[in-house]
Amino acid sequence: MPHQRVIRYLSADDLADGLARRLVRAILRRQDTQDEVHLCVAGGQAATRVYACLHDVDERTSVDPSRLHVWWSDDAFVPTGDAQRTSLRTLPLLLTAFHLDPSRTHPIPTMDGKDDADDAAYAYAQELGNTIFDICLLDVGESGAVASLFADDPSFSPHTTALAVGVTASPTPATERISLTLPEINRSHQVWLIASGARKATAVNESLLEGSQLPAALARGTEETLWWTDQLAAAQLPSYNCSL
Ligand SMILES: O=C1O[C@H](COP(=O)(O)O)[C@@H](O)[C@H](O)[C@H]1O
């Protein structure tokens, strides 16, 4: 399994600003050498702060929106327009930052026209097809969850062949959600896990322990797995484990 690297910023603000810059540069580097770039984004407070910081990154104007696809790691299974939708909060920030082409944005289907969360997950899987994310951003939950994969939930199946799954008893609102599966996440070239603040410190530490089976521990990119943290989130890690 590729090595995991932990990057630690001093504060939550530094993390959001630094990660926004690194994200723009990573997209530009990929666009230099390949046609389409597929970015998967997460909700979560820290990830959303990163998207808000994209506006301050001058190089973002060099990103070619006609060659950038944006996908979501998970979302609430609720009606279109429901405030619980992650994409409702994140899409406007990303649209403005990159002037995205709406036909290249792929929000997870809503409840409208779908029988249940599994039906929506199936539709999302169809849309995904053979897509491999160049960068998959995941916001680490307090329990070591990523996307809407919760260690104790029966919908978390590390070896499933499905690309997306319906979650019907999420411990965090909304109760019904749709999530990428671990195998789909792990086809990504780069997996970037974000953890900010003291409430994430235990999850970060436990996920980085040898043999951890938490969803955050099992999420790995085929090329690289990076943990983007701030001092509070990385507080329980040995300092030699961190760069920056
Ligand atoms: O909405 C989401 O948030 C969680 C983490 O949320 P936070 O409020 O603790 O930052 C994240 O794991 C999930 O993927 C995302 O969709």
Side-chain angles (χ1 to χ4, degrees):
M1 227 178 233
H3 180 64
Q4 304 184 84
R5 199 153 60 88
V6 182
I7 294 115
R8 180 177 48 179
Y9 287 89
L10 280 178
S11 67
D13 285 345
D14 288 350
L15 168 61
D17 178 63
L19 183 44
R21 286 172 202 286
R22 299 285 281 266
L23 180 59
V24 170
R25 280 181 211 141
I27 294 168
L28 286 172
R29 266 200 308 275
R30 295 236 168 221
Q31 286 196 332
D32 276 349
T33 56
Q34 62 192 64
D35 189 16
E36 310 262 275
V37 171
H38 292 269
L39 169 68
C40 179
V41 297
Q45 295 169 33
T48 306
R49 286 177 80 167
V50 173
Y51 315 140
C53 285
L54 288 168
H55 296 267
D56 300 326
V57 185
D58 294 341
E59 291 158 283
R60 78 188 155 84
T61 55
S62 303
V63 170
D64 179 354
S66 70
R67 295 190 293 126
L68 178 63
H69 287 261
V70 178
W71 302 83
W72 273 261
S73 64
D74 60 317
D75 214 329
F77 182 63
V78 288
T80 306
D82 188 307
Q84 294 180 94
R85 289 275 295 170
T86 294
S87 53
L88 211 59
R89 293 190 298 277
T90 52
L91 184 55
L93 296 170
L94 294 161
L95 274 176
T96 332
F98 294 124
H99 302 293
L100 291 174
D101 172 350
S103 72
R104 288 173 173 76
T105 61
H106 308 271
I108 294 178
T110 66
M111 195 179 253
D112 301 346
K114 296 287 174 279
D115 294 341
D116 53 29
D118 278 335
D119 190 23
Y122 180 76
Y124 198 48
Q126 296 286 106
E127 189 170 348
L128 280 161
N130 293 322
T131 301
I132 293 179
F133 307 125
D134 291 287
I135 302 162
C136 180
L137 290 177
L138 298 169
D139 200 329
V140 178
E142 283 177 52
S143 64
V146 286
S148 292
L149 301 176
F150 301 94
D152 299 329
D153 192 276
S155 62
F156 175 50
S157 169
H159 303 294
T160 179
T161 54
L163 306 184
V165 66
V167 178
T168 50
S170 163
T172 59
T175 311
E176 287 196 275
R177 308 184 65 85
I178 297 117
S179 179
L180 295 178
T181 59
L182 187 67
E184 174 59 3
I185 289 169
N186 287 1
R187 290 186 340 168
S188 309
H189 295 303
Q190 300 204 334
V191 166
W192 288 12
L193 298 116
I194 312 168
S196 175
R199 69 190 176 94
K200 303 292 173 79
T202 302
V204 170
N205 185 43
E206 289 183 356
S207 300
L208 287 165
L209 292 176
E210 189 74 36
S212 172
Q213 295 300 302
L214 290 173
L218 300 175
R220 299 294 180 97
T222 55
E223 291 174 5
E224 196 172 39
T225 308
L226 298 178
W227 281 76
W228 300 90
T229 67
D230 55 24
Q231 266 194 342
L232 291 175
Q236 296 179 23
L237 296 181
S239 54
Y240 60 78
N241 210 351
C242 305
S243 51
L244 220 88

